[in-house]
Amino acid sequence: MKGSPRPAPRSAPTPASSAPRAAWSLPPTVIYFLLLGTAIVVYFPALGGQFLWDDSGHVTRADLQSWAGLGRIWFEFGATQQYYPVLHSAFWLEHLLWGDAVMPYHLLNVALHAGVAFLFGLTLRRLALPGAWLAAALFLLHPVCVESVAWISEQKNTLSAVFYLGAALAYLRFDRDRRPAQYALATGLFLLALLTKTVTASLPAALLVVFSWKKGKLDWRRDVLPLLPWFAIGATMGLITAHFERVLIGAQGADFALGFATRAMLAGRVAWFYLGKLLWPSPLLFVYPRWTLDSAAAGQWLFLAAALLALGFLIFLARRGRRGPLAAGLLFAGTLFPVLGFFNVFPFVFSYVADHFQYLPSLGGFALVAAGAATAARTFPGATRVAAGFVLLLLGVLTWRQSGIYRSATTLYEATLQENPDAWLAHHNLAIILANTGHPDAAIPHVEAVIRLRPNYAPAENNLGDDLLRLDRATEAMPHFSRALELQPDYAVARCNLGVALAMLGRNAEAIPHFQEALRLNPAYGEAELNWGLALMLTNRFAEAVPHFEQAIRLDPTSAYFQLTYGRALAGANQTGAAVPHLETAVHLDPNSAEAETEFAAALTRLGRPTEAAVHNQRARALQSEAR
């Protein structure tokens, strides 16, 4: 009837509902647990792994484990290695829950990785991109992700990616219904991502790339304007991180003295390197060779030229209606931008590339490949499924094998040196492990390799001297400490070690000024306090020595070595009664120390407590037997 109300037209299917529903027939929770179970299988060799290289700088240290320490994480710049307060708050909570037990950290990282894959699949479905769950599976199983998942420090990658994709999903909902609550949620998740790792600052640019791909053009008021605050926040956090990289972590100096032309040349090579590792993930190394850059060499510009040609070709395709490859390329290169070479990041000291740098950037590549496979499946369904299954199986096997390398620091560095014998960082870290496990003689060749590969590296000179000290070769050690101080005059550790060498040669009076200077350079240096006390005691100035021992223990009350050394000094000064509490504490702090058990047993014997002494002597013998 004319003028009568008309029923509202039926709404068209939303993009998500028009996508294939085979995988989505499973509840989301089931899909996540399928991803998680698969991840646990392929990462199983790493689950019992040890703490690696700088994990000690991320897993919450003793002085930050209190509520006051949590406050310092948020409000004291420099309290943590980088200003990532959400990351370090997560580590704080994890330490509260399970302390230094390593496996829970690994399991959590695997669970987060599965969560990233799950959110990645949901995001692609929200965008109605075919092959969403194939893309998620490719990401889940690709071995280039192993460094981010099997290395506990890289929880910054897995956790920030969860917030990153969560923010993307929330923003896509906001873009659909323009509800302020969705914008607030998306902004909150974006802030959490930034405060976990600032590489996530690329998200607003990534969203604009997605909108341009979907619509063919951007609308200023609808698409760009709401994201301007995100760009401002991201830029601010990026500047803060860049400052800390330079000032606190040391991303400055001769190793970073690259002109703009050289950095542009480097960017082209870095981008092709990462793309190559996605397509052919072998070999994957913890430390890749550090390229020698020469902007005068025409051949080194070919990488940048090829990248520009590839960009031109992608633009050509986009203008003819195939915008997907250009969007994937921009997402890949844009998310990589912070590590392409235009900004200083500390790992550039030993390599310009690292697998964990492309954890987020790889998402665009996986989305493109999966969409291509889904398109091919319409014409060749059987062959495409077989090929996809084979690729996923192969990637899973490669990830299982690669994750086994991360079961200990020793296996990690040894595997690195097999492929890259000039990796000075691997030599350096392996030498430290060998020295600290009682094998300074085996450490020396690795330290000598570091000095050969990096001649003016003060820590290597110091470490060589330290290894010689452990072998009672103090005279040979002294020139290396002197060389370390020549290279780095404010090097408190080398100054202290020079004092130790002098004390070992019986020159205690000469050693004391070096301990004083080490403490002037680093007032919280407990070992310098301890060694100063020992030097005073050996010159019969025991009353002066006691405050230094006590200060050393105040600086680090959890150090079994400090407690043992102070107890041994007291016992040596015929103050056995005063020594016993410190020796007992040393045994409790390090129950695997045969040396502490032996010293404690000897002190108990002198106090006329043979029954107790026998127990500790027996434990000392058992520990010595295990060590053999």
Side-chain angles (χ1 to χ4, degrees):
M1 183 182 298
K2 187 175 179 180
S4 63
R6 298 175 61 187
R10 293 179 182 271
S11 59
T14 62
S17 66
S18 63
R21 300 188 61 85
W24 194 244
S25 61
L26 294 173
T29 304
V30 174
I31 293 176
Y32 171 72
F33 278 105
L34 285 173
L35 292 170
L36 176 60
T38 304
I40 288 173
V41 170
V42 297
Y43 281 96
F44 185 79
L47 294 182
Q50 304 169 358
F51 288 125
L52 302 176
W53 182 26
D54 65 343
D55 285 343
S56 59
H58 289 81
V59 175
T60 311
R61 63 179 190 267
D63 62 308
L64 296 177
Q65 291 169 8
S66 62
W67 286 102
L70 182 61
R72 290 178 60 199
I73 286 170
W74 280 89
F75 301 112
E76 182 183 321
F77 288 133
T80 53
Q81 198 174 59
Q82 293 167 303
Y83 185 67
Y84 291 158
V86 170
L87 171 71
H88 287 284
S89 295
F91 276 125
W92 184 91
L93 178 60
E94 291 157 31
H95 192 276
L96 181 68
L97 293 174
W98 54 71
D100 291 328
V102 184
M103 186 175 287
Y105 289 102
H106 284 300
L107 285 170
L108 177 60
N109 230 19
V110 171
L112 288 170
H113 180 55
V116 178
F118 176 68
L119 291 171
F120 181 39
L122 289 181
T123 303
L124 295 182
R125 288 188 60 83
R126 172 72 61 182
L127 295 170
L129 195 74
W133 294 114
L134 175 59
L138 288 170
F139 173 77
L140 183 82
L141 295 173
H142 201 287
V144 83
C145 296
V146 169
E147 186 169 286
S148 295
V149 182
W151 184 10
I152 291 168
S153 291
E154 287 308 312
Q155 189 178 122
K156 68 185 77 167
N157 260 356
T158 55
L159 182 59
S160 67
V162 167
F163 292 133
Y164 177 96
L165 290 170
L169 272 170
Y171 194 88
L172 290 173
R173 293 192 190 98
F174 163 74
D175 184 63
R176 182 186 61 192
D177 56 30
R178 315 307 283 184
R179 290 171 54 196
Q182 288 292 346
Y183 183 83
L185 174 62
T187 302
L189 289 169
F190 178 56
L191 284 170
L192 290 172
L194 286 172
L195 293 171
T196 306
K197 189 175 184 179
T198 49
V199 72
T200 54
S202 62
L203 179 56
L207 288 168
L208 292 183
V209 169
V210 168
F211 295 147
S212 177
W213 161 67
K214 292 286 287 183
K215 305 172 187 177
K217 62 179 181 179
L218 294 174
D219 180 270
W220 168 259
R221 293 180 64 85
R222 180 180 181 86
D223 299 326
V224 180
L225 193 60
L227 289 171
L228 290 181
W230 287 28
F231 278 106
I233 296 167
T236 301
M237 285 301 302
L239 290 172
I240 292 172
T241 299
H243 172 74
F244 283 126
E245 283 283 329
R246 291 194 308 273
V247 176
L248 292 181
I249 302 179
Q252 58 185 330
D255 291 309
F256 302 90
L258 305 175
F260 180 79
T262 304
R263 291 178 183 270
M265 180 186 73
L266 174 63
R269 188 168 183 177
V270 168
W272 284 115
F273 172 87
Y274 287 127
L275 181 59
K277 290 300 178 185
L278 285 181
L279 297 174
W280 190 263
S282 180
L284 297 177
L285 304 181
F286 187 67
V287 181
Y288 290 99
R290 190 176 191 267
W291 305 318
T292 300
L293 302 176
D294 182 3
S295 58
Q300 295 200 20
W301 288 95
L302 293 177
F303 295 100
L304 181 60
L308 294 174
L309 284 173
L311 177 61
F313 178 68
L314 295 178
I315 292 172
F316 171 80
L317 290 178
R319 287 180 174 175
R320 279 152 181 77
R322 301 186 64 182
R323 298 190 297 270
L326 177 61
L330 291 176
L331 288 171
F332 179 69
T335 314
L336 273 177
F337 184 75
V339 294
L340 286 178
F342 295 107
F343 304 100
N344 292 348
V345 290
F346 180 74
F348 284 4
V349 169
F350 44 86
S351 180
Y352 292 115
V353 289
D355 288 344
H356 67 273
F357 284 158
Q358 67 165 325
Y359 187 74
L360 267 182
S362 67
L363 296 176
F366 293 130
L368 180 64
V369 170
T375 302
R378 296 170 188 165
T379 307
F380 308 103
T384 303
R385 291 191 183 98
V386 170
F390 174 77
V391 168
L392 291 175
L393 178 62
L394 178 61
L395 292 176
V397 170
L398 291 174
T399 292
W400 188 89
R401 189 173 73 174
Q402 184 70 13
S403 65
I405 295 171
Y406 285 77
R407 64 183 179 271
S408 74
T410 301
T411 57
L412 180 61
Y413 299 134
E414 288 176 345
T416 300
L417 291 171
Q418 284 179 5
E419 296 286 344
N420 181 14
D422 288 343
W424 66 264
L425 178 72
H427 281 294
H428 177 79
N429 291 351
L430 184 55
I432 292 173
I433 293 169
L434 289 167
N436 289 341
T437 53
H439 303 286
D441 52 337
I444 287 175
H446 291 287
V447 185
E448 290 175 336
V450 178
I451 293 171
R452 173 178 57 82
L453 295 164
R454 193 170 170 79
N456 296 319
Y457 189 46
E461 293 285 356
N462 173 73
N463 290 350
L464 181 53
D466 181 67
D467 292 335
L468 291 167
L469 279 186
R470 294 172 191 245
L471 295 170
D472 294 322
R473 294 158 63 180
T475 302
E476 296 174 65
M478 287 180 63
H480 295 287
F481 297 134
S482 297
R483 172 63 176 159
L485 291 168
E486 178 186 335
L487 293 168
Q488 188 177 327
D490 62 348
Y491 195 178
V493 175
R495 180 66 65 184
C496 179
N497 283 342
L498 181 56
V500 171
L502 288 165
M504 287 177 67
L505 295 171
R507 297 158 62 180
N508 292 292
E510 294 175 63
I512 288 172
H514 292 286
F515 301 134
Q516 287 178 295
E517 177 62 11
L519 281 163
R520 185 190 69 79
L521 293 167
N522 180 7
Y525 191 10
E527 287 201 21
E529 287 280 9
L530 192 78
N531 289 323
W532 190 352
L534 287 170
L536 288 167
M537 187 190 72
L538 292 171
T539 53
N540 297 315
R541 296 157 66 183
F542 191 80
E544 296 175 59
V546 168
H548 294 288
F549 289 125
E550 292 173 345
Q551 176 63 6
I553 290 171
R554 275 195 293 271
L555 288 169
D556 189 356
T558 64
S559 171
Y561 171 70
F562 287 4
Q563 298 283 356
L564 173 61
T565 303
Y566 188 23
R568 183 183 285 152
L570 287 166
N574 295 318
Q575 297 190 38
T576 308
V580 163
H582 296 286
L583 295 172
E584 186 174 16
T585 301
V587 167
H588 286 307
L589 290 171
D590 186 2
N592 296 317
S593 172
E595 187 179 16
E597 292 283 3
T598 301
E599 291 286 346
F600 188 29
L604 291 170
T605 300
R606 284 195 293 272
L607 288 177
R609 296 158 63 180
T611 304
E612 296 172 68
V615 173
H616 292 283
N617 269 324
Q618 185 176 359
R619 289 179 61 183
R621 286 192 294 271
L623 289 168
Q624 289 165 350
S625 178
E626 288 176 16
R628 296 192 198 102

